[in-house]
């Protein structure tokens, strides 16, 4: 639909949303044409720079956002005033959908990004009259829960190597969900961000990445890009009980690095 409430031609919606990750795997995915057009009419697109906030913890939760491109990190305030990264979000992911009146965390961009904003009240009203949209919201909530479980799995690793390997496999799954190979990855977050998320120092994260490169498990062809060169080796490292360590060669542990 356009601003006057008239149904937009299918070609117009396709042109505006065809390349959006939200259409391929996000909120709009699988909706019928009329429902997708109605959601398009309710949304506004915003281009924001890296390090800007989509919303802050405690802000009134009056909108829901979909990442069309780029990446974001979710942060929660700790009792001592510091902030802890509790998650990363990627193209197609829904951000800010909560049952609370206020957002429970910050959402801050780690790269330049485009977000699609929908008023929360309007979205909830639409979902009550659209079974497809209601079902899609439930699916995305389930995906969010699975992401939280992935984080717990990564944090359960006893070694720094296992945590970083588990994190890289999480990035692989995010890339595959968006149609990528899962082998050549974007790495927009900093080493400090990764360490904060995994409960490691920046020195430990940098040391692990260096060891993974030496062992042939990963390559970094350019800044912000990562190639998973030995997937079985990373999977073995992520699934270890913590006794294993960075690899001196594919499939072979070398030494253990302290967190």
């Amino acid at each position: 639909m356009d601003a006057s409430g008239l149904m937009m031609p299918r070609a117009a919606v396709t042109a505006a949303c065809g390349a959006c990750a939200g259409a391929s795997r996000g909120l709009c995915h699988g909706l019928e044409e009329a429902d997708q057009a109605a959601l398009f009419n309710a949304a506004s697109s915003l281009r924001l720079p890296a390090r800007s906030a989509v919303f802050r913890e405690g802000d009134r939760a009056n909108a829901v956002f979909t990442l069309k491109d780029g990446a974001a990190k979710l942060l929660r305030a700790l009792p001592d005033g510091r902030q802890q990264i509790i998650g990363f979000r990627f193209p197609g992911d829904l951000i800010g959908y909560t049952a609370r009146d206020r957002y429970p965390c910050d959402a801050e961009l780690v790269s330049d990004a485009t977000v699609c904003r929908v008023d929360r009240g309007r979205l909830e009203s639409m979902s009550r009259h659209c079974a497809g949209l209601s079902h899609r919201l439930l699916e995305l909530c389930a995906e969010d829960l699975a992401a939280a479980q992935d984080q717990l799995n990564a944090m359960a690793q006893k070694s720094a190597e296992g945590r970083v390997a588990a994190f890289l496999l999480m990035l692989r799954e995010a890339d595959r969900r968006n149609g990528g190979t899962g082998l050549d990855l974007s790495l927009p977050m900093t080493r400090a961000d990764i360490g904060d998320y995994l409960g490691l120092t920046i020195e430990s994260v940098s040391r692990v990445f260096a060891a993974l490169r030496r062992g042939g498990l990963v390559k970094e062809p350019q800044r912000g890009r990562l190639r998973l060169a030995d997937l079985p080796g990373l999977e073995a490292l992520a699934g270890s009980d913590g006794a294993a360590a960075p690899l001196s060669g594919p499939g072979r542990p070398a030494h253990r690095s302290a967190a």
Side-chain angles (χ1 to χ4, degrees):
M1 294 182 183
D2 61 17
S4 67
L6 298 176
M7 182 65 71
M8 291 184 64
R10 180 177 183 178
V13 176
T14 299
C17 302
C20 175
S24 61
R25 59 160 296 266
L27 184 58
C28 296
H29 177 66
L31 296 183
E32 294 183 3
E33 181 181 339
D35 296 327
Q36 189 174 36
L39 193 57
F40 173 83
N41 183 58
S44 58
S45 185
L46 306 170
R47 185 68 179 173
L48 300 172
R51 294 181 294 280
S52 61
V54 181
F55 52 79
R56 293 294 185 190
E57 182 176 354
D59 288 351
R60 190 171 296 281
N62 57 5
V64 178
F65 304 85
T66 296
L67 268 177
K68 298 178 70 173
D69 56 54
K73 58 185 176 182
L74 306 182
L75 306 103
R76 181 166 291 168
L78 299 176
D80 62 4
R82 294 181 297 116
Q83 285 188 309
Q84 170 70 47
I85 296 177
I86 60 172
F88 291 99
R89 295 295 181 266
F90 302 98
D93 287 342
L94 196 65
I95 304 176
Y97 187 59
T98 175
R100 304 179 185 182
D101 293 332
R102 297 185 180 276
Y103 295 115
C105 63
D106 288 4
E108 186 176 298
L109 298 177
V110 297
S111 65
D112 295 347
T114 306
V115 297
C116 190
R117 180 190 186 278
V118 180
D119 179 79
R120 175 183 172 182
R122 191 166 182 180
L123 179 64
E124 291 175 343
S125 176
M126 291 172 62
S127 69
R128 287 193 291 269
H129 300 91
C130 173
L133 180 57
S134 179
H135 179 69
R136 188 65 189 134
L137 285 169
L138 286 175
E139 287 181 331
L140 291 173
C141 287
E143 288 183 12
D144 198 48
L145 179 60
Q149 292 171 334
D150 286 341
Q151 181 192 11
L152 290 175
N153 179 62
M155 293 294 291
Q157 299 293 327
K158 297 178 182 178
S159 69
E161 297 77 31
R163 293 187 187 189
V164 172
F167 175 73
L168 295 181
L169 293 177
M170 289 167 55
L171 294 185
R172 165 179 162 79
E173 288 307 308
D175 184 69
R176 293 178 67 186
R177 287 196 301 269
N178 281 293
T181 64
L183 297 176
D184 291 287
L185 309 177
S186 171
L187 196 70
M189 62 286 296
T190 65
R191 297 289 197 264
D193 285 341
I194 296 170
D196 190 355
Y197 179 67
L198 296 175
L200 301 171
T201 65
I202 185 173
E203 293 81 8
S204 290
V205 174
S206 296
R207 191 161 54 243
V208 170
F209 269 95
L212 294 178
R213 289 195 302 270
R214 288 195 304 270
L217 274 75
V218 303
K219 297 179 181 180
E220 293 187 270
Q222 64 187 74
R223 184 179 179 87
R225 301 294 305 178
L226 189 76
R227 181 172 301 142
L228 306 186
D230 181 1
L231 188 58
L234 286 171
E235 290 172 338
L237 196 57
S240 69
D241 62 2
L247 305 177
S248 57
R252 293 195 309 234
H255 64 277
R256 184 170 180 177
S257 171

